[in-house]
């Protein structure tokens, strides 16, 4: 019996750099298709939390992050195959420039033979836009450039100048007018969270859909050949019910929202019951066996977090009882003694870990790393614009993807594990089960050579 396959038209939305309008175009196109009654499945390349929130609202479908290093070939292949079985069109939004990173957006597109549309902000150029996209198209011979989407186009004449300069092999798929009502608002580390500006986003989605339809993009999509997606040749290992009977409390509100849907799905597949709570507004924890404090924007809500002494007391009590807690990035800042925001106001935090967090302007840390934990390795990434000082000695560090220097520190106090790293749970379900398990017997360290090296 052969490998199952499914065919579906697909388009990879890429760009020569960040800030060209990829998310604006992808969201507008997803809404246009949705308005026409189509089922569109959208994926986001790389470790990103904010764009998927936007794209999920635009498409009305869940949005998965796909990264060949962090998630793996088989995981990405399975997600594409499942989407192709149900969707009328698959859209993939790239990250940064199409050749940036290892692996890059182009690597993902090439592996699955998905044609790429190049979104380019053409303000201040005309024929040069054609030259740039021609260079991108010829840089590698294993990708297929379906055409150019000229964003922020000033006029019909502007469009004609670009279109006339393009080679016959690279059509102008659409010229999106220069209109501030189409653009999506930004914040540090990316776009604002969708839940904060839902109504405003709805208006921008609809405006974007109309602009793309008027630009003729639907005709270009109709000409796309279907892509054949195959299920993995080797099925993904079945998930063990290692957390059956366990309840995990998950912080989720405006301060803590950086959560991969894949992580939540995995916890439930392992048998866990998830109960969400808000450190901003709730006064007590849900009944649970473990806590997950994910990343987010605690610095923007530090005063409210500090004022909620009831919640701070409840989490301290949970910690003192020796129950498992995973605190990632913003969750780690919340676990420290204090947090200083951008206005240089210092606020009292949980005090589960010694140390003080502070924001540090526009410079940030980012990169793919493997968290070398006593329970086992888990791949993930770091992306933050804060620093932690006065902390205790870490139990280890992340292992960078392609650099020998130690990565982000990993701290442990009692059953609390805290780090700047955001973990991708499906990379190592057994390790994740050990982190959250209420049974100390199940949490015996699974020391590896890499972990031993990390703590030396």
């Amino acid at each position: 019996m052969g490998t199952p396959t499914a065919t579906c038209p697909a388009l990879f939305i890429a760009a020569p750099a960040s800030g060209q309008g990829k998310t604006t175009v992808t969201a507008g196109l997803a809404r246009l298709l949705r308005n026409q009654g189509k089922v569109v499945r959208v994926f986001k390349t790389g470790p990103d939390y904010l764009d998927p929130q936007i794209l999920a609202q635009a498409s009305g479908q869940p949005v998965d992050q796909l990264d060949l290093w962090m998630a793996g070939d088989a995981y990405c292949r399975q997600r594409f195959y499942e989407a192709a079985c149900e969707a009328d069109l698959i859209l993939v939004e790239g990250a940064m420039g199409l050749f940036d990173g290892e692996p890059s957006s182009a690597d993902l597109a090439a592996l699955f033979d998905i044609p790429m549309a190049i979104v380019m902000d053409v303000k201040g150029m005309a024929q040069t836009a054609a030259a740039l996209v021609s260079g991108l198209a010829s840089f590698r011979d294993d990708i297929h450039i379906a055409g150019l989407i000229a964003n922020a186009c000033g006029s019909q004449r502007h469009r004609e100048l670009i279109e006339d300069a393009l080679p016959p092999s690279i059509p102008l798929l659409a010229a999106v007018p220069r209109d501030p009502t189409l653009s999506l608002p930004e914040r540090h580390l990316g776009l604002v969270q969708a839940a904060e500006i839902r109504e405003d986003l709805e208006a921008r989605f609809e405006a974007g859909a109309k602009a793309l339809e008027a630009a003729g993009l639907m005709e270009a999509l109709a000409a796309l050949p279907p892509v054949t997606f195959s299920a993995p040749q080797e099925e993904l290992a079945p998930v063990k019910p290692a957390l059956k009977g366990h309840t995990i409390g998950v912080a989720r509100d405006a301060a803590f929202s950086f959560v991969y849907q894949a992580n939540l799905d995995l916890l439930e597949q392992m048998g866990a019951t998830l109960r969400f709570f808000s450190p901003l507004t709730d006064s007590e924890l849900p009944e649970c066996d473990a806590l997950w404090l994910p990343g987010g924007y605690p610095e923007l809500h530090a005063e409210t977090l500090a004022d909620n002494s009831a919640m701070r007391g409840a989490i301290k009590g949970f910690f003192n009882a020796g129950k498992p807690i995973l605190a990632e990035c913003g969750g780690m800042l919340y676990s420290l003694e204090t947090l200083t925001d951008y206005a240089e106001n210092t606020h009292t935090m949980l005090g589960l870990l010694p140390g003080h967090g502070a924001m540090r302007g526009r410079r940030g840390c980012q990169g793919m790393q493997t968290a070398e934990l006593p329970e086992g390795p888990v791949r993930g990434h770091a992306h933050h614009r804060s620093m932690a000082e006065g902390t205790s000695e870490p139990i280890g560090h992340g292992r960078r993807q392609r650099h020998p220097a130690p990565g982000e520190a990993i701290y442990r106090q009692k059953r609390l594990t805290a780090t700047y790293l955001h973990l991708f749970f499906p990379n190592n379900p057994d390790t994740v089960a050990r982190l959250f398990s209420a049974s100390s017997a199940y949490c015996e360290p699974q020391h590896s050579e890499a972990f031993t090296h990390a703590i030396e």
Side-chain angles (χ1 to χ4, degrees):
M1 184 176 179
T3 302
T5 62
T7 58
C8 181
L11 187 64
F12 203 115
I13 307 295
S18 297
Q20 302 294 297
K22 293 190 303 292
T23 305
T24 297
V25 170
T26 307
L29 182 53
R31 177 52 60 90
L32 174 57
L33 292 162
R34 180 183 175 185
N35 287 348
Q36 294 182 349
K38 306 290 187 182
V39 175
V40 55
R41 286 297 311 274
V42 186
F43 294 92
K44 171 64 182 178
T45 306
D48 190 301
Y49 293 105
L50 298 173
D51 287 0
Q53 296 177 17
I54 302 284
L55 299 173
Q57 182 180 332
S59 66
Q61 297 287 335
V63 173
D64 286 331
Q65 297 90 336
L66 297 181
D67 183 272
L68 289 172
W69 182 83
M70 190 172 69
D73 181 332
Y75 179 90
C76 296
R77 192 173 297 277
Q78 181 69 31
R79 293 297 172 267
F80 275 136
Y81 169 72
E82 292 171 350
C85 289
E86 66 179 25
D88 297 303
L89 181 76
I90 292 173
L91 292 176
V92 187
E93 183 193 337
M96 302 183 293
L98 72 163
F99 299 120
D100 297 326
E102 297 181 41
S104 65
S105 295
D107 292 330
L108 186 66
L111 180 62
F112 294 99
D113 199 26
I114 302 174
M116 307 182 83
I118 304 300
V119 176
M120 189 183 301
D121 187 325
V122 296
K123 182 180 179 181
M125 69 172 105
Q127 291 90 343
T128 300
L132 290 173
V133 74
S134 296
L136 294 172
S138 63
F139 188 72
R140 286 173 52 168
D141 59 9
D142 61 346
I143 60 171
H144 170 57
I145 302 301
L148 170 67
I149 298 176
N151 192 27
C153 196
S155 65
Q156 178 63 27
R157 179 57 180 159
H158 191 185
R159 173 194 174 119
E160 292 170 355
L161 290 171
I162 296 171
E163 190 168 23
D164 291 345
L166 285 169
S169 59
I170 305 176
L172 182 63
L173 302 178
V176 184
R178 192 179 305 159
D179 184 349
T181 65
L182 304 180
S183 300
L184 301 175
E186 297 183 359
R187 176 182 282 168
H188 70 280
L189 295 187
L191 297 168
V192 298
Q193 299 181 74
E196 300 176 65
I197 52 169
R198 187 172 185 84
E199 292 185 4
D200 180 47
L201 284 176
E202 284 295 312
R204 293 173 188 268
F205 293 156
E206 294 298 333
K210 291 178 181 177
L212 291 172
E213 185 174 28
L217 190 54
M218 289 305 298
E219 288 80 357
L221 289 180
L224 286 175
V227 177
T228 299
F229 295 96
S230 302
Q233 291 185 350
E234 295 183 9
E235 291 188 11
L236 297 176
V239 176
K240 302 173 185 176
L243 292 174
K244 186 176 182 179
H246 285 63
T247 299
I248 299 174
V250 182
R252 186 167 69 176
D253 56 23
F256 303 100
S257 62
F258 290 3
V259 177
Y260 292 125
Q261 184 61 45
N263 285 4
L264 298 176
D265 293 343
L266 177 69
L267 293 176
E268 292 185 327
Q269 289 167 12
M270 289 193 291
T273 298
L274 304 182
R275 292 187 177 174
F276 299 96
F277 70 99
S278 169
L280 289 172
T281 60
D282 292 340
S283 58
E284 58 185 25
L285 291 171
E287 289 290 331
C288 57
D289 305 294
L291 287 181
W292 179 18
L293 305 176
Y297 291 124
E299 68 275 14
L300 301 181
H301 306 275
E303 183 176 1
T304 302
L305 291 171
D307 288 344
N308 193 350
S309 57
M311 176 55 72
R312 289 195 290 113
I315 296 178
K316 285 181 181 178
F318 194 93
F319 167 79
N320 290 329
K323 296 183 177 181
I325 305 174
L326 175 62
E328 299 176 320
C329 199
M332 186 191 78
L333 293 178
Y334 185 41
S335 299
L336 297 173
E337 296 171 86
T338 64
L339 175 58
T340 301
D341 60 24
Y342 281 109
E344 299 188 354
N345 297 314
T346 299
H347 307 274
T348 300
M349 295 288 105
L350 294 173
L352 310 184
L353 290 172
H356 307 275
M359 307 310 296
R360 58 176 185 181
R362 295 194 61 82
R363 294 187 61 190
C365 296
Q366 58 185 322
M368 310 298 281
Q369 299 180 27
T370 299
E372 298 290 355
L373 300 165
E375 295 80 8
V378 186
R379 290 185 174 185
H381 78 285
H383 195 179
H384 60 92
R385 289 180 179 163
S386 65
M387 57 185 177
E389 298 180 321
T391 55
S392 58
E393 188 70 17
I395 64 166
H397 291 84
R399 175 163 44 87
R400 298 181 188 273
Q401 181 187 7
R402 299 184 182 276
H403 196 282
E408 299 289 353
I410 300 168
Y411 303 99
R412 181 157 291 174
Q413 296 283 343
K414 296 186 176 181
R415 290 294 310 281
L416 167 68
T417 302
T419 177
Y420 268 123
L421 292 171
H422 302 268
L423 307 182
F424 187 72
F425 293 176
N427 177 251
N428 194 335
D430 288 345
T431 290
V432 171
R434 294 185 182 100
L435 279 176
F436 285 112
S437 176
S439 170
S440 59
Y442 190 65
C443 298
E444 288 298 318
Q446 306 294 305
H447 289 289
S448 64
E449 181 180 346
F451 173 74
T452 301
H453 175 74
I455 61 177
E456 287 177 348

